[in-house]
Amino acid sequence: MSSPNRICVAAGAELTCYDLDLDLDGDARAMASVTLDATIQYGWPHPSLPILYVATSNRGPGRFGDTHSLIALRMDGDRLGRHGAAMALDNRPISITVDPSGRHLLAAYNDPAALGVHEIGLDGCLGAAVAQDDDLDFGIYPHQVRVTQDGRVMLVSRGNDATTEKKEDPGAIRILPFHNGKLGKAIVTAPGGGFGFGPRHLDFHPTQPFVYVAVERQNELHVYGLDGIGLSAAPLHVTSTLADPGDQRPGQLAGAIHVHPDGRTLYVSNRCDRVGDDAGANDIAVFSIDPQTGAPTLIQHARTGSLHIRTFALLPGGRRMVAAGMRRPAVLSLLDIGENGLVALQETIRGDMSMMWVGAAPG
């Protein structure tokens, strides 16, 4: 359950909730904040309780860390505080989600590759980890976990680009059966054996059997069909997320992806750290969706006023978008979404810390 006019922003170990003006006049008010033990990696709301679950770690790219946890936070009016005991973890959780029943939290770990499951009590408190079979395969560099409405788990494994020292690691998407907290063996989708395929995040169409995938390393948007068994073996549609696919600058990557609640539009972030002559795309690519075929058509590249848009979110109701930059000085961008799905920048808020995650506040 999420609030239609409140957002949570993770900057370092601090999570701040803002109250947004629904008249869209560019007003945002910080109303609650909590500081945790390590950098916030990701968040996900409970489907029916005013609780936000967050993953934290002091580990990151090029940085060793030894403090990792899952924490439940409860929103009571304008107050945000811990809800139950934190769950200490052995490794960095890079993505989390909650199943539609609200009874289990799933956490993806990139190194070593793993997928964990924790029980959630009726009061929303985190419980014990559910033991899993030892022979499950989670691919290379898991980066996102989601659960379909019919209860299947989808794990996006990004793989890695080739370097001078090692060959490319293939990417893949796995669908795992899920029952009472137990994961089954995966059905794997990996076009081309996963080579030249570096998926980062995916999202579901709200009413049609389509899955939309942001392919990070190739700066592409893929569309897959979904049936009772798994994903289509090959994408139904492939398109670039860039305005000029032939001008891919160093460090250019696709990022997060969200389908609008009405199913008519979807959004993908283009992100790049570079500025000056090597400046890449830092915008939101907006696509209309064909209601019959699911095919995406590019209709806009929306400016955000920020660099390296690692994370963005659509607020419930689909009237607003919030995008957060990682490159310092970090910028939080508030954007209006029109009836036609197009995006217009309303306000930017500068901060001192890189923002790893932003999402709708529990309400």
Side-chain angles (χ1 to χ4, degrees):
M1 181 172 64
S2 299
S3 170
N5 65 333
R6 293 178 175 180
I7 60 168
C8 285
V9 180
E14 185 175 46
L15 187 77
T16 301
C17 288
Y18 291 88
D19 193 9
L20 304 181
D21 175 33
L22 290 181
D23 292 331
L24 303 178
D25 65 357
D27 182 30
R29 176 177 66 90
M31 57 175 228
S33 183
V34 60
T35 300
L36 305 178
D37 299 331
T39 299
I40 298 164
Q41 307 291 313
Y42 209 78
W44 197 271
H46 191 282
S48 60
L49 298 174
I51 294 171
L52 178 72
Y53 301 97
V54 295
T56 74
S57 175
N58 62 352
R59 181 179 177 183
R63 185 177 73 250
F64 173 78
D66 57 2
T67 301
H68 325 282
S69 64
L70 298 172
I71 300 171
L73 301 170
R74 185 179 182 93
M75 178 69 75
D76 289 314
D78 286 355
R79 301 184 63 184
L80 182 68
R82 294 185 184 235
H83 183 67
M87 297 289 111
L89 305 171
D90 293 333
N91 294 294
R92 176 197 182 199
I94 197 168
S95 172
I96 60 174
T97 194
V98 177
D99 74 335
S101 73
R103 297 304 305 274
H104 295 96
L105 180 146
L106 296 93
Y109 302 86
N110 62 320
D111 185 18
L115 181 58
V117 180
H118 279 261
E119 295 176 347
I120 297 177
L122 294 177
D123 59 357
C125 288
L126 288 167
V130 180
Q132 305 296 329
D133 295 337
D134 293 333
D135 59 349
L136 298 179
D137 177 17
F138 303 116
I140 299 171
Y141 208 107
H143 209 289
Q144 188 201 35
V145 58
R146 293 289 303 273
V147 182
T148 65
Q149 283 300 315
D150 63 3
R152 290 177 289 173
V153 172
M154 285 197 180
L155 183 66
V156 182
S157 299
R158 189 196 68 185
N160 293 295
D161 282 332
T163 68
T164 55
E165 289 80 27
K166 61 188 293 294
K167 297 180 179 179
E168 178 186 358
D169 293 322
I173 301 171
R174 285 168 165 76
I175 297 184
L176 299 92
F178 187 60
H179 183 66
N180 290 334
K182 290 282 290 184
L183 297 163
K185 290 188 177 181
I187 298 173
V188 181
T189 295
F195 295 99
F197 179 62
R200 180 180 178 89
H201 279 192
L202 60 76
D203 201 8
F204 310 118
H205 193 283
T207 60
Q208 300 296 327
F210 300 122
V211 177
Y212 295 87
V213 182
V215 184
E216 173 186 289
R217 295 188 286 124
Q218 287 72 40
N219 295 284
E220 291 178 343
L221 169 63
H222 288 197
V223 186
Y224 292 82
L226 176 66
D227 59 24
I229 298 174
L231 294 176
S232 54
L236 306 178
H237 309 282
V238 175
T239 187
S240 176
T241 64
L242 302 174
D244 184 356
D247 185 25
Q248 184 169 313
R249 303 300 177 92
Q252 184 72 64
L253 300 167
I257 181 169
H258 295 288
V259 179
H260 194 279
D262 67 13
R264 297 184 300 176
T265 319
L266 71 85
Y267 307 90
V268 182
S269 63
N270 289 309
R271 59 200 181 100
C272 188
D273 277 335
R274 294 175 180 264
V275 296
D277 292 340
D278 287 334
N282 279 289
D283 56 36
I284 302 294
V286 183
F287 296 85
S288 64
I289 297 175
D290 186 287
Q292 302 302 320
T293 67
T297 299
L298 180 68
I299 58 175
Q300 183 189 21
H301 279 96
R303 67 184 185 91
T304 65
S306 58
L307 292 176
H308 198 115
I309 310 160
R310 184 182 192 272
T311 176
F312 73 97
L314 307 185
L315 271 64
R319 291 182 58 194
R320 260 197 159 175
M321 177 190 296
V322 183
M326 281 194 67
R327 193 178 191 277
R328 298 182 184 182
V331 173
L332 181 69
S333 306
L334 309 182
L335 305 105
D336 175 22
I337 301 176
E339 292 293 332
N340 56 4
L342 297 178
V343 175
L345 179 63
Q346 296 294 317
E347 181 188 8
T348 58
I349 302 171
R350 292 169 67 90
D352 296 328
M353 295 289 291
S354 295
M355 290 173 279
M356 290 283 287
W357 178 83
V358 62

